[in-house]
Every structure is written in structure tokens, then in C-alpha cells.
Amino acid sequence: MIAISGLKKRFALTREHKKKKSQTDPRERDGFFHSVEEVNLHCGEGEVLGLLGPNGAGKTTTLRMLSTALTPDDGTILVDGQDIVKKPVVARKAIGFLSGSTGLYGRLTAKENVEYFARLHGLKGKALKARCDALFQRLEMETFLDKRAEHLSTGMKQKTNIARAVVHNPKVVVLDEPTTGLDIMTTQTVISFIRDLKSAGTPVIFSTHHLDEVALLCDRVSVIDKGITCFDGSLAEFKTKGQSHELNQAFLNLLTGAAHV
């Protein structure tokens, strides 16, 4: 179970940015850019939540706070009842996180990268081998396990990154645009893997711009606009509040007509 309440994060504007006195974004004020102003969402056991919003809405900042890569200025993040803002070490053991900026060690092979992170999480011996072999098979990685990461295709790198993120059997999985730039076959593998996590009872939060993925995978939807949650509820409620059974239109209707909640 993941519960986020009253999440806020601001960043100091540079001196050069202050001189421009830009009024294009209301989040720029008092010498700060308020990237996340009021985000609230929750995702229960075995649920998949799609995190939606325009570019620059605050989705990645929110997910980075959930991963403990950033510390919130205010608000709470609970994972299985544990306050991960106060206990970030506990969070890092409980969360599997994949972001668009997650990197691999280029001179290590795909297999070595995943095994390295497995060891960081305390896996060793037969347990390490069994877990890695299961992931390699499920993510269809056998053909490139011995290739250096620097020579992998985009799809190969993403599969390796996903294996790295979940090798420790996390209680929660957070994926930031996991299918961006992937071909159809690799995208299908990622979608099937998310379904496996759901079947195993693992809460999954993933951000995406692809509403077809939301239709295929999601139980819940959360929409962020200008750093504020403007919707958080079930997929059925999303269609109702967005006044359309077509998800793209429901999303646009929420952004242009819904009051922030």
C-alpha cells in the first residue's frame, strides 16, 4: 500500500532566471519554482496506478520523492504504513524504482549489472542465481546477457534496467515512463511483466503518456497538473469525471475543466 498526502517540493530559481522575470508559469514565485504543490494519491495491494499529466506537471519530481532520491519540503509518503520520508533506508529496500535517467555501468554486461545490484541488496549464492535467472527468462534477456551495457539497444537496456530495479523483490514498484522509445515487442514484454507484478499483489505506480497502456493495465489513475493533483481515483471514476469513455478525451476534459482537489 502506498499513500501520498500533501506532497510539496520547490527548487530555488537561478539568478539568471530571476532576472528574466518570467510570468509564464504561476509556480515561479518568491524566488522558487514550486514543482510539486499539493499531490495526493494512493495505490493498494495488487493495484496498478497510472500517473498522468502534461510535460512539466511534476510527475517525475513526485516519483523521485517516492523513491527517496529527493526529500519533500512537506507532506507524507507511507509504504505499508512506514513513513519513508523519516526512514529512507527502509524505503530503499522496499521500493523498486526505474526512472528515465537510470543508468547502467557501460563496461559491465547486462548480467553483471543485474547481479551487482542484487548483491547490493544482500542476495548471494543460490538465491541470487535463482532470482536473476528467473528475471532473465521472464524479461527475455537470454540473447544479450553477455553483452556490455554500452553496446545494448534501447530495448535491451530497458529490460536490464527493469531487472535491476526489481531484483530484490520490492514491496512496491515505481516506473517512470517505462515504455518510452521501445519497439512494440519490447513494450509488450514490459506490459506483461507489470501484469505479473499485479498478479503477485505488488502495487505498481507508473507514469506514461500512452493512454492505451492505462486502459490495459490500470486499476487507478492519478492526474497531476501544474504540481497539483486534479484527479485520483479508479479508472471508472476517471471516465466519469472526465465525461468520456475515451481516455484521451477524458484526460483533456479533466485538465481543461476540472477543479483541483
Side-chain angles (χ1 to χ4, degrees), residues 58-74:
K59 302 186 301 297
T60 294
T61 301
T62 296
L63 295 183
R64 292 188 69 198
M65 285 189 280
L66 177 53
S67 76
T68 74
L70 288 175
T71 301
D73 295 324
D74 199 5

Side-chain angles (χ1 to χ4, degrees), residues 65 87 89 117 132 137 151 184 208 212 228 230 241 247 259:
M65 285 189 280
K87 300 177 180 179
V89 175
F117 282 95
C132 289
Q137 182 178 15
H151 299 311
I184 293 173
T208 182
D212 55 331
I228 298 173
C230 61
K241 188 164 185 181
L247 296 186

Side-chain angles (χ1 to χ4, degrees), residues 51 55 59-60 98-101 153-159 161-162 175-184 186-188 190-191 194 206-210 212-213:
L51 185 62
N55 288 333
K59 302 186 301 297
T60 294
L98 171 69
S99 77
S101 60
S153 69
T154 299
M156 293 173 182
K157 286 179 180 177
Q158 192 69 327
K159 288 181 178 182
N161 271 320
I162 291 172
L175 306 171
D176 190 5
E177 299 187 13
T179 62
T180 298
L182 303 185
D183 60 36
I184 293 173
T186 307
T187 295
Q188 188 56 51
V190 174
I191 288 172
I194 292 173
F206 77 100
S207 66
T208 182
H209 291 292
H210 303 294
D212 55 331
E213 295 175 0

